[in-house]
Amino acid sequence: MNRLTHGGLLRRHRDFRLLWCGETTGKFGASVTSVAMPLVAVTTLDADTFTVGLLSACAWLPWLIVGLPVGVWADRFRRRPIMLAAAAASFLLFACVPVVTWLGGLSTGFLLVVTLLTGTAAVFFQTAYSAYLPSLLEPADQAEGNAKLQGSASAAQIVGRGSGGLIAQLADAVNAMFANAATFLVSLLCLVAIRHREPRVSGSVRRHTSMASDVTAGLRLVAGDRWLRTLALFGAVSNLGLMGYQSILVVFLVRDVGLNSGTVGVLIAVAGAGGVVGAFLARRVAGRVGTARATLLFELVLAVPALLIPLTTDGAGALLYVTGGFCVSAGVVAGNVIKAGFQQSYCPPRLLGRLTAGTAFLNYGTLPVGALLGGALGSAFGLREAMWITTAGVPLAGLILLFSPLRRTRDLPTVALHDERTGPRRPTARPQPSQPGRTSPDS
């Protein structure tokens, strides 16, 4: 890789610029779909609350089904071809939705199948992408790369969610699927244009261990390390609450609060702007107070305003959702930036695919459960009551971090601790403890 000494990554690194462009465009399209797909179910098919929750669950269910073996494949084979195949599959699947609608074949079952298959493609893409980035960038550039990707993804989600609602109102929710299909085509073309080629994995490496043993090794890597274990457990519990309320959010805002599709899209987009702020602040706050303290600040303190969301009403009361959603979005994205940098420096590159799959299996595995939970609670007790129950789980999840080693530490470790032959071992350089006179954000 050619690396100049001046300028940011987007200016001096052509291949990263292409990856950034493709990933940002893909996030925009996925965000359009996150609003448009529930609107298709609600406005076109008159789906009930549980069906909308089931639709959200199908998007994340593949992480439970194929997440772990995909992580092994991402370590055994080159990652870019996996990403290319996943982007091509997503393009074709999303393009089918409006075509099938025109032919009169749109049904809830068809939407569930498309969501399940595109969710499977997302598992392949995200796992390979997380392991591919460190091979594209030098270690000194990875923090900047993670922040830029997270920040641009959040900005794309803001525009995408707003566009999804506006397209649904002005044209039709089904037509929003064309926007998503087009973005995956752009993502595919950007990946094709990348010149960097990963070294071919030798056949002896692929045959060294069985699939089952590699899957077990990935889970053991996460379970056997206190830092990885803590972050994975927190992510699993937090995502349960996040997806619980997000799966029924559109239905809540349309049916309970009484907002139209365009307004819903705009409000979700404004709330999502917190992600851009979070990506901007992550490295700066972590550099000032430490990565562990910053994680507590972003993932615990900024999660509390989630409790404002169930108070949302029409008119000025909509600002309660915007405030709560903005804070939660900022905390989640900032926490993801810090976590990504930590994992890439902490885990040997040859194990990143399995680490990504192992943590994703635990983190994303609760997302379909949360989606089903949100739909079931909304059907049983009402939408506003379900929002109270699920949003309460977001700040409660932060207690896992509060009562973990992060509370007594200024920085997450940066020394790789795992050896493939000997397993987890103690660090040679321990994280620095909190300095006297300086308190953690949770104090």
Side-chain angles (χ1 to χ4, degrees):
M1 288 180 290
N2 293 326
R3 186 177 187 273
L4 303 179
T5 56
H6 301 288
L9 277 175
L10 291 177
R11 174 178 295 181
R12 58 180 165 81
H13 201 305
R14 174 187 178 275
D15 285 345
F16 176 78
R17 187 164 60 247
L18 286 168
L19 180 68
W20 172 84
C21 181
E23 173 69 359
T24 302
T25 306
K27 291 295 186 186
F28 168 81
S31 297
V32 169
T33 301
S34 70
V35 175
M37 192 73 87
L39 287 174
V40 170
V42 171
T43 61
T44 304
L45 299 174
D46 197 27
D48 57 25
T49 302
F50 181 77
T51 301
V52 175
L54 182 62
L55 194 64
S56 297
C58 284
W60 299 102
L61 186 60
W63 285 101
L64 282 176
I65 300 174
V66 299
L68 291 174
V70 169
V72 176
W73 290 325
D75 282 338
R76 291 186 175 188
F77 301 96
R78 289 183 293 180
R79 286 83 183 242
R80 181 170 165 272
I82 296 176
M83 296 161 64
L84 287 168
S90 297
F91 163 68
L92 294 173
L93 287 165
F94 281 119
C96 284
V97 175
V99 174
V100 169
T101 303
W102 293 340
L103 296 176
L106 183 66
S107 65
T108 301
F110 176 74
L111 287 183
L112 291 174
V113 170
V114 170
T115 304
L116 189 64
L117 292 177
T118 53
T120 302
V123 173
F124 279 88
F125 186 93
Q126 190 62 43
T127 303
Y129 158 79
S130 298
Y132 177 73
L133 183 63
S135 72
L136 187 69
L137 298 179
E138 296 179 10
D141 288 330
Q142 288 176 14
E144 180 186 352
N146 286 322
K148 279 186 165 57
L149 286 166
Q150 290 281 352
S152 61
S154 296
Q157 288 168 352
I158 295 168
V159 179
R161 287 168 179 164
S163 299
L166 291 174
I167 292 173
Q169 185 176 18
L170 298 176
D172 189 86
V174 173
N175 291 331
M177 296 298 108
F178 272 131
N180 200 12
T183 59
F184 278 102
L185 178 60
V186 172
S187 180
L188 179 64
L189 295 175
C190 288
L191 289 172
V192 169
I194 291 178
R195 294 171 183 166
H196 170 69
R197 295 295 182 269
E198 303 165 89
R200 187 180 298 274
V201 181
S202 67
S204 61
V205 172
R206 293 198 295 265
R207 293 190 298 267
H208 182 63
T209 55
S210 66
M211 172 70 74
S213 63
D214 278 348
V215 166
T216 303
L219 290 174
R220 192 167 55 240
L221 173 65
V222 177
D225 183 273
R226 61 175 181 164
W227 303 103
L228 299 176
R229 183 174 62 247
T230 296
L231 292 174
L233 180 60
F234 161 73
V237 177
S238 177
N239 281 342
L240 188 67
L242 287 168
M243 182 51 64
Y245 85 79
Q246 289 176 3
S247 65
I248 58 174
L249 177 62
V250 171
V251 190
F252 168 68
L253 294 176
V254 171
R255 291 181 177 169
D256 215 66
V257 179
L259 305 176
N260 60 46
S261 298
T263 303
V264 168
V266 171
L267 288 179
I268 293 176
V270 174
V276 178
V277 177
F280 176 79
L281 293 177
R283 293 171 62 204
R284 292 163 176 80
V285 174
R288 182 177 294 271
V289 304
T291 52
R293 290 175 173 176
T295 299
L296 284 170
L297 171 64
F298 289 126
E299 300 285 21
L300 176 58
V301 177
L302 290 185
V304 174
L307 298 174
L308 296 174
I309 296 175
L311 297 172
T312 303
T313 59
D314 197 3
L319 293 176
L320 293 171
Y321 162 68
V322 172
T323 303
F326 187 96
C327 292
V328 171
S329 180
V332 169
V333 172
N336 286 342
V337 171
I338 296 172
K339 179 182 175 182
F342 159 67
Q343 288 184 343
Q344 289 165 5
S345 63
Y346 192 66
C347 179
R350 66 183 180 279
L351 299 175
L352 270 174
R354 272 164 280 183
L355 173 61
T356 299
T359 55
F361 177 78
L362 298 172
N363 290 176
Y364 296 162
T366 59
L367 289 173
V369 179
L372 291 175
L373 179 65
L377 290 173
S379 298
F381 303 110
L383 288 167
R384 194 172 296 273
E385 290 76 9
M387 293 294 286
W388 273 114
I389 296 171
T390 51
T391 53
V394 180
L396 287 176
L399 297 179
I400 295 174
L401 298 178
L402 182 62
F403 296 107
S404 76
L406 272 77
R407 185 179 61 176
R408 301 182 298 273
T409 306
R410 184 182 190 276
D411 288 293
L412 294 165
T414 56
V415 178
L417 301 184
H418 188 274
D419 184 271
E420 198 167 17
R421 295 183 297 267
T422 62
R425 55 186 171 84
R426 292 188 177 275
T428 55
R430 293 183 180 276
Q432 294 298 315
S434 301
Q435 297 176 10
R438 301 181 64 186
T439 59
S440 298
D442 55 276
S443 299

Short mmCIF file of all heavy atoms in Angstrom, two decimals, residues 28-30 43 62 65 79 81 128 134 140 161 167 188 201 207 214 301 321 331 350 380 408 434:
data_model
loop_
_atom_site.label_atom_id
_atom_site.label_comp_id
_atom_site.label_asym_id
_atom_site.label_seq_id
_atom_site.Cartn_x
_atom_site.Cartn_y
_atom_site.Cartn_z
N PHE A 28 -26.53 4.15 3.47
CA PHE A 28 -27.65 5.01 3.10
C PHE A 28 -28.84 4.17 2.62
O PHE A 28 -29.97 4.36 3.06
CB PHE A 28 -27.21 5.98 1.99
CG PHE A 28 -28.36 6.71 1.34
CD1 PHE A 28 -28.91 7.82 1.94
CD2 PHE A 28 -28.87 6.28 0.12
CE1 PHE A 28 -29.98 8.49 1.35
CE2 PHE A 28 -29.93 6.94 -0.47
CZ PHE A 28 -30.48 8.05 0.14
N GLY A 29 -28.57 3.24 1.73
CA GLY A 29 -29.64 2.40 1.21
C GLY A 29 -30.27 1.54 2.28
O GLY A 29 -31.50 1.38 2.33
N ALA A 30 -29.44 0.97 3.15
CA ALA A 30 -29.98 0.14 4.23
C ALA A 30 -30.87 0.96 5.16
O ALA A 30 -31.86 0.45 5.69
CB ALA A 30 -28.83 -0.50 5.01
N THR A 43 -48.49 0.21 5.68
CA THR A 43 -49.38 0.98 4.81
C THR A 43 -49.90 0.19 3.61
O THR A 43 -51.02 0.41 3.16
CB THR A 43 -48.67 2.25 4.31
OG1 THR A 43 -47.50 1.88 3.54
CG2 THR A 43 -48.24 3.12 5.48
N PRO A 62 -30.20 -14.30 10.77
CA PRO A 62 -29.06 -15.00 10.18
C PRO A 62 -27.79 -14.97 11.03
O PRO A 62 -26.94 -15.86 10.90
CB PRO A 62 -28.85 -14.27 8.84
CG PRO A 62 -30.22 -13.79 8.48
CD PRO A 62 -30.83 -13.39 9.80
N ILE A 65 -27.91 -18.05 12.88
CA ILE A 65 -27.90 -19.27 12.08
C ILE A 65 -26.54 -19.51 11.44
O ILE A 65 -25.99 -20.62 11.51
CB ILE A 65 -29.01 -19.22 11.01
CG1 ILE A 65 -30.38 -19.07 11.68
CG2 ILE A 65 -28.97 -20.47 10.13
CD1 ILE A 65 -31.51 -18.86 10.70
N ARG A 79 -11.14 -11.86 2.06
CA ARG A 79 -12.38 -11.22 2.48
C ARG A 79 -13.07 -10.44 1.36
O ARG A 79 -14.31 -10.38 1.31
CB ARG A 79 -12.10 -10.26 3.64
CG ARG A 79 -11.82 -10.94 5.00
CD ARG A 79 -10.40 -11.40 5.15
NE ARG A 79 -10.15 -12.12 6.40
CZ ARG A 79 -9.31 -11.68 7.33
NH1 ARG A 79 -8.67 -10.55 7.19
NH2 ARG A 79 -9.12 -12.41 8.42
N PRO A 81 -13.56 -10.98 -1.97
CA PRO A 81 -14.54 -11.72 -2.78
C PRO A 81 -15.83 -12.02 -2.02
O PRO A 81 -16.92 -12.03 -2.63
CB PRO A 81 -13.80 -13.02 -3.14
CG PRO A 81 -12.35 -12.66 -3.07
CD PRO A 81 -12.25 -11.67 -1.95
N ALA A 128 -16.78 -10.11 6.86
CA ALA A 128 -15.59 -9.99 6.00
C ALA A 128 -15.06 -8.56 6.03
O ALA A 128 -13.84 -8.34 6.05
CB ALA A 128 -15.95 -10.40 4.58
N PRO A 134 -8.40 -3.94 8.61
CA PRO A 134 -7.02 -3.87 9.11
C PRO A 134 -5.97 -4.28 8.08
O PRO A 134 -4.81 -3.86 8.18
CB PRO A 134 -7.02 -4.86 10.30
CG PRO A 134 -8.45 -4.92 10.73
CD PRO A 134 -9.24 -4.80 9.46
N ALA A 140 -1.37 2.59 12.37
CA ALA A 140 -1.48 3.99 12.78
C ALA A 140 -2.69 4.69 12.17
O ALA A 140 -3.15 5.71 12.68
CB ALA A 140 -0.20 4.75 12.40
N ARG A 161 -32.73 7.62 6.37
CA ARG A 161 -33.99 7.50 7.10
C ARG A 161 -34.96 8.61 6.72
O ARG A 161 -36.16 8.38 6.54
CB ARG A 161 -33.72 7.51 8.60
CG ARG A 161 -33.07 6.22 9.10
CD ARG A 161 -32.55 6.37 10.49
NE ARG A 161 -31.95 5.13 10.97
CZ ARG A 161 -31.16 5.04 12.02
NH1 ARG A 161 -30.87 6.12 12.71
NH2 ARG A 161 -30.65 3.88 12.39
N ILE A 167 -39.76 9.45 0.54
CA ILE A 167 -40.09 8.66 -0.65
C ILE A 167 -41.40 7.90 -0.45
O ILE A 167 -42.24 7.82 -1.34
CB ILE A 167 -38.95 7.68 -0.98
CG1 ILE A 167 -37.70 8.43 -1.44
CG2 ILE A 167 -39.38 6.69 -2.07
CD1 ILE A 167 -36.48 7.56 -1.62
N LEU A 188 -20.93 -2.33 -4.83
CA LEU A 188 -20.28 -3.40 -5.60
C LEU A 188 -19.23 -2.84 -6.55
O LEU A 188 -18.10 -3.37 -6.63
CB LEU A 188 -21.36 -4.16 -6.38
CG LEU A 188 -20.89 -5.31 -7.27
CD1 LEU A 188 -20.28 -6.43 -6.43
CD2 LEU A 188 -22.06 -5.85 -8.09
N VAL A 201 -4.74 -17.30 0.94
CA VAL A 201 -4.57 -18.20 2.08
C VAL A 201 -4.22 -19.58 1.57
O VAL A 201 -4.92 -20.12 0.71
CB VAL A 201 -5.86 -18.25 2.93
CG1 VAL A 201 -5.66 -19.15 4.14
CG2 VAL A 201 -6.25 -16.85 3.38
N ARG A 207 -6.84 -26.28 5.88
CA ARG A 207 -7.07 -27.65 6.30
C ARG A 207 -6.53 -27.95 7.69
O ARG A 207 -6.64 -29.07 8.18
CB ARG A 207 -6.42 -28.62 5.30
CG ARG A 207 -7.06 -28.62 3.92
CD ARG A 207 -6.50 -29.77 3.10
NE ARG A 207 -5.08 -29.65 2.89
CZ ARG A 207 -4.53 -29.07 1.83
NH1 ARG A 207 -5.29 -28.53 0.90
NH2 ARG A 207 -3.22 -29.00 1.70
N ASP A 214 -12.72 -24.46 14.77
CA ASP A 214 -12.49 -23.03 14.57
C ASP A 214 -13.64 -22.20 15.14
O ASP A 214 -13.42 -21.12 15.71
CB ASP A 214 -12.33 -22.72 13.08
CG ASP A 214 -10.92 -23.00 12.58
OD1 ASP A 214 -10.04 -23.22 13.44
OD2 ASP A 214 -10.70 -23.00 11.37
N VAL A 301 -24.02 6.77 30.39
CA VAL A 301 -24.62 8.08 30.66
C VAL A 301 -25.56 8.51 29.53
O VAL A 301 -26.68 8.97 29.77
CB VAL A 301 -23.52 9.13 30.89
CG1 VAL A 301 -24.14 10.50 31.09
CG2 VAL A 301 -22.66 8.75 32.08
N TYR A 321 -38.76 12.49 21.64
CA TYR A 321 -38.16 11.39 20.89
C TYR A 321 -36.83 11.81 20.28
O TYR A 321 -35.83 11.08 20.35
CB TYR A 321 -39.08 10.89 19.78
CG TYR A 321 -38.31 10.08 18.77
CD1 TYR A 321 -37.79 8.83 19.11
CD2 TYR A 321 -38.02 10.59 17.51
CE1 TYR A 321 -37.02 8.11 18.21
CE2 TYR A 321 -37.26 9.88 16.60
CZ TYR A 321 -36.76 8.64 16.96
OH TYR A 321 -35.99 7.94 16.07
N GLY A 331 -24.23 7.85 21.69
CA GLY A 331 -23.53 6.91 22.55
C GLY A 331 -23.19 5.61 21.87
O GLY A 331 -22.08 5.08 22.01
N ARG A 350 -5.09 -12.64 12.11
CA ARG A 350 -5.53 -13.94 11.59
C ARG A 350 -6.78 -14.45 12.32
O ARG A 350 -7.43 -15.38 11.87
CB ARG A 350 -4.42 -14.96 11.73
CG ARG A 350 -4.06 -15.31 13.18
CD ARG A 350 -2.89 -16.28 13.25
NE ARG A 350 -2.56 -16.61 14.63
CZ ARG A 350 -1.83 -15.87 15.43
NH1 ARG A 350 -1.36 -14.72 14.97
NH2 ARG A 350 -1.57 -16.25 16.67
N ALA A 380 -49.51 -7.25 23.19
CA ALA A 380 -50.12 -7.67 24.45
C ALA A 380 -50.53 -6.49 25.34
O ALA A 380 -51.59 -6.52 25.96
CB ALA A 380 -49.16 -8.58 25.22
N ARG A 408 -12.60 0.44 36.87
CA ARG A 408 -11.35 0.68 37.60
C ARG A 408 -10.18 0.98 36.67
O ARG A 408 -9.04 0.99 37.10
CB ARG A 408 -11.02 -0.55 38.45
CG ARG A 408 -12.10 -0.91 39.46
CD ARG A 408 -11.71 -2.10 40.31
NE ARG A 408 -11.51 -3.30 39.52
CZ ARG A 408 -12.49 -4.15 39.19
NH1 ARG A 408 -13.73 -3.91 39.60
NH2 ARG A 408 -12.23 -5.23 38.48
N SER A 434 -6.95 4.24 36.91
CA SER A 434 -7.35 5.65 37.03
C SER A 434 -6.37 6.38 37.95
O SER A 434 -5.95 5.86 38.98
CB SER A 434 -8.76 5.73 37.61
OG SER A 434 -9.66 5.06 36.77
#
